[in-house]
Amino acid sequence: MDDSGEAGYISAVVYILIVVLTLMLMLDSLSLVVTKQKLDTAADQLTRQIQLAGKVDDDTEDLFAYLTQDLPDTESIVYTVDSAFITKSGCNKAIQLGTPFYVTVTAQSKLGSFLGSVGIPVTLHSRCCGVSERYWK
């Protein structure tokens, strides 16, 4: 009985397994790229909405919920707005004309999610800046 033939089959199976896992990881990382692009779009749209309204309010929350509702395999998606806020007309997060602000959208995802809960946690950030276009009296 010759053991070299069996060793050849075992090494071929191991090589095929490694190639398949590598391809799966590459495809899974592609989903991270798509998620990052969607986060970039969400940050851009939130920035534009805040620019026009000159404030952060319930409309901003609704837009954020709409933009992030279909993000696959993401957890704890949050956004923050950094600016010098003023209180005007019942809104305590108003931004005066010409004042810059920064919108940051952060989400947790996993690389290797095809492995179940073993995946590597990855934090994705998208940041966009804008200037308020509304004058508050």
Side-chain angles (χ1 to χ4, degrees):
M1 194 182 254
D2 189 14
D3 289 336
S4 65
E6 288 180 20
Y9 286 123
I10 292 173
S11 64
V13 168
V14 169
Y15 290 140
I16 290 172
L17 183 63
I18 290 171
V19 168
V20 167
L21 286 175
T22 303
L23 287 173
M24 289 175 69
L25 190 61
M26 288 171 53
L27 290 174
D28 195 49
S29 65
L30 193 64
S31 72
L32 284 178
V33 171
V34 170
T35 301
K36 174 67 167 122
Q37 287 179 334
K38 288 185 178 185
L39 287 178
D40 289 342
T41 301
D44 187 49
Q45 292 294 319
L46 286 173
T47 299
R48 188 63 186 145
Q49 194 272 338
I50 295 169
Q51 278 179 323
L52 295 175
K55 61 184 175 178
V56 179
D57 60 358
D58 291 338
D59 291 338
T60 310
E61 292 287 335
D62 293 342
L63 180 62
F64 177 71
Y66 175 75
L67 291 171
T68 58
Q69 71 186 356
D70 63 343
L71 288 176
D73 300 325
T74 53
E75 302 169 357
S76 65
I77 306 171
V78 295
Y79 78 95
T80 57
V81 180
D82 299 324
S83 183
F85 294 109
I86 60 173
T87 302
K88 292 289 181 178
S89 304
C91 178
N92 56 356
K93 287 195 171 183
I95 304 172
Q96 188 59 272
L97 176 71
T99 303
F101 62 91
Y102 302 92
V103 175
T104 305
V105 181
T106 306
Q108 294 285 342
S109 189
K110 286 190 177 184
L111 180 61
S113 59
F114 59 89
L115 297 172
S117 62
V118 183
I120 302 166
V122 177
T123 303
L124 301 172
H125 300 281
S126 292
R127 188 166 168 97
C128 196
C129 62
V131 177
S132 175
E133 297 178 4
R134 176 151 183 202
Y135 176 73
W136 292 90
K137 295 179 185 181

